[in-house]
Amino acid sequence: MDNFKEIRMLDNFYQSSSFIPMPLCLIGTLNEDKSMTSYGAYSLCFPYYIAGKGYYAMVLECRNSSNTCQGLLRHGKCTINFLPFTKKNFEQHVLLGFPGDTPAEKMKDFRFTSIDGLSKEQDPNGDYPQILKEAPQVFECTWVKELDNAQDDKIQEEYPGPYHNFNGITSKFGAHFILKIDHILMHDKYYDAIANGVTRRNFMPLPTNWGYRDSKNFWCSNYSKPIAVGIPDRGVDVASVRYAADRLQTDVEFTDDALAMLVKVPRPFLKLVLNGCVDWANEHNCKKITAVEMKEINDKRSKEKKEKK
């Protein structure tokens, strides 16, 4: 402990009492009459549901008096726009993060280009916030208002409570929104990078907000090409795969040659993959998975991955 001192925790501890690397994004929401999309700068926006829920989601934390909060409470839709790093882009984020401006005031000197996204293309008669043409990556999202029983939350001058735990109005000053990701949109260059292999040359050049701010400045780091470190090759052997397979709650059997095709699966994901094989077997009235069936399962999985891309 010789090199440590405890620092006092204050409101907004992530930027007043610590340094925390975070994303930097512009959240787009519709204004009251749905005539325009207003954008606010945020860093408290993180992955929330990442697997096993039937959909994927982000969580957004914001002031409950903000235009973003009001837009989500009214219309339940938003876009999360990730802009590439430049000093001018960062300056625009800082301007859009200033509290108290109306949507019209925020958009008066806006330097980016708003365009319709995929949600509007698929549903021309629906009302959706626009996306930013300059953003190499955009998430189009819908607020899952039923979580934490937040569907009846309304815009108010003040929020006296009671408050929700994790969705909707969560405190006197704060709000959280669980946002189901409807679409992930990406510029061609970065789509191709994920589809065909990411390298230092084609990595998306996003800035990092370092959280800390003082009375004069926000702090953001310049983008530099990332380094890559190989994942340790810690595959399992057939005996380990057999051990995991024998403990599944199923009457589906696996042959050794089938299990040998799973030795490259990382140990944390082995049970998930085995259960997926059992699901396939049950759908096909199959009671024994051999190398033949395992190849069919792997081919199906590869096809599904290509279709998602």
Side-chain angles (χ1 to χ4, degrees):
M1 286 291 293
D2 291 345
N3 295 324
F4 289 91
K5 291 183 177 180
E6 183 178 14
I7 194 167
R8 180 186 175 195
M9 283 186 284
L10 304 172
D11 286 354
N12 297 321
F13 70 90
Y14 66 93
Q15 63 183 16
S16 61
S17 307
S18 63
F19 304 89
I20 299 180
M22 297 183 293
L24 195 61
C25 57
L26 295 181
I27 307 292
T29 52
L30 292 169
N31 66 345
E32 185 170 1
D33 65 5
K34 306 177 186 178
S35 62
M36 65 180 291
T37 300
S38 172
Y39 297 90
Y42 287 92
S43 286
L44 298 176
C45 188
F46 310 99
Y48 191 75
Y49 289 146
I50 62 170
K53 290 293 291 186
Y55 63 91
Y56 305 105
M58 302 287 284
V59 59
L60 170 68
E61 303 173 42
C62 63
R63 290 176 295 106
N64 57 31
S65 60
S66 66
N67 296 317
T68 301
C69 178
Q70 293 178 10
L72 281 164
L73 289 177
R74 284 193 185 102
H75 310 303
K77 299 284 184 179
C78 75
T79 61
I80 306 174
N81 302 267
F82 297 87
L83 276 298
F85 177 83
T86 67
K87 188 172 186 293
K88 287 185 176 181
N89 284 356
F90 180 50
E91 289 171 348
Q92 182 77 88
H93 281 81
V94 173
L95 288 173
L96 292 168
F98 192 82
D101 290 343
T102 65
E105 289 170 337
K106 277 183 175 292
M107 301 308 296
K108 183 179 178 182
D109 298 314
F110 193 62
R111 66 184 302 267
F112 301 118
T113 309
S114 294
I115 60 174
D116 289 337
L118 183 57
S119 294
K120 185 68 173 179
E121 181 179 311
Q122 294 180 340
D123 179 20
N125 295 320
D127 296 308
Y128 301 93
Q130 293 186 303
I131 68 174
L132 296 179
K133 182 179 181 181
E134 295 85 355
Q137 178 176 271
V138 181
F139 294 177
E140 293 190 283
C141 299
T142 299
W143 176 35
V144 191
K145 62 179 68 176
E146 296 77 16
L147 288 176
D148 208 9
N149 201 31
Q151 67 275 358
D152 297 323
D153 285 3
K154 306 295 182 188
I155 297 170
Q156 302 179 51
E157 287 291 331
E158 295 184 358
Y159 295 91
Y163 305 113
H164 301 293
N165 291 315
F166 63 88
N167 193 36
I169 305 301
T170 51
S171 71
K172 183 177 180 180
F173 303 110
H176 288 61
F177 294 96
I178 309 304
L179 304 170
K180 179 174 74 70
I181 302 173
D182 301 316
H183 306 290
I184 296 180
L185 309 177
M186 204 169 289
H187 284 185
D188 289 345
K189 175 181 178 180
Y190 305 109
Y191 174 96
D192 291 340
I194 289 181
N196 301 313
V198 175
T199 68
R200 293 182 75 237
R201 292 180 177 274
N202 62 17
F203 208 93
M204 191 175 289
L206 300 180
T208 299
N209 175 8
W210 285 101
Y212 179 77
R213 60 169 293 189
D214 53 32
S215 60
K216 294 175 59 178
N217 299 302
F218 284 87
W219 295 82
C220 178
S221 66
N222 194 351
Y223 172 79
S224 61
K225 287 185 172 63
I227 62 171
V229 177
I231 298 172
D233 183 10
R234 294 182 179 175
V236 295
D237 57 21
V238 175
S240 298
V241 182
R242 168 62 66 192
Y243 182 87
D246 287 346
R247 279 150 184 79
L248 298 177
Q249 300 298 314
T250 179
D251 57 354
V252 175
E253 297 181 27
F254 292 83
T255 63
D256 285 343
D257 57 350
L259 295 178
M261 299 171 71
L262 299 179
V263 295
K264 295 287 187 181
V265 175
R267 193 179 299 272
F269 302 110
L270 184 57
K271 184 176 180 180
L272 179 66
V273 171
L274 286 167
N275 279 325
C277 295
V278 171
D279 291 342
W280 179 93
N282 289 333
E283 290 172 5
H284 293 79
N285 295 317
C286 173
K287 293 301 181 183
K288 179 178 286 189
I289 296 178
T290 70
V292 174
E293 287 79 20
M294 188 64 74
K295 183 178 184 306
E296 189 173 343
I297 293 169
N298 288 338
D299 290 345
K300 178 177 179 288
R301 187 179 297 118
S302 297
K303 182 180 178 181
E304 289 173 348
K305 286 183 178 179
K306 289 180 180 178
E307 289 174 350
K308 286 183 179 180
K309 292 178 180 178

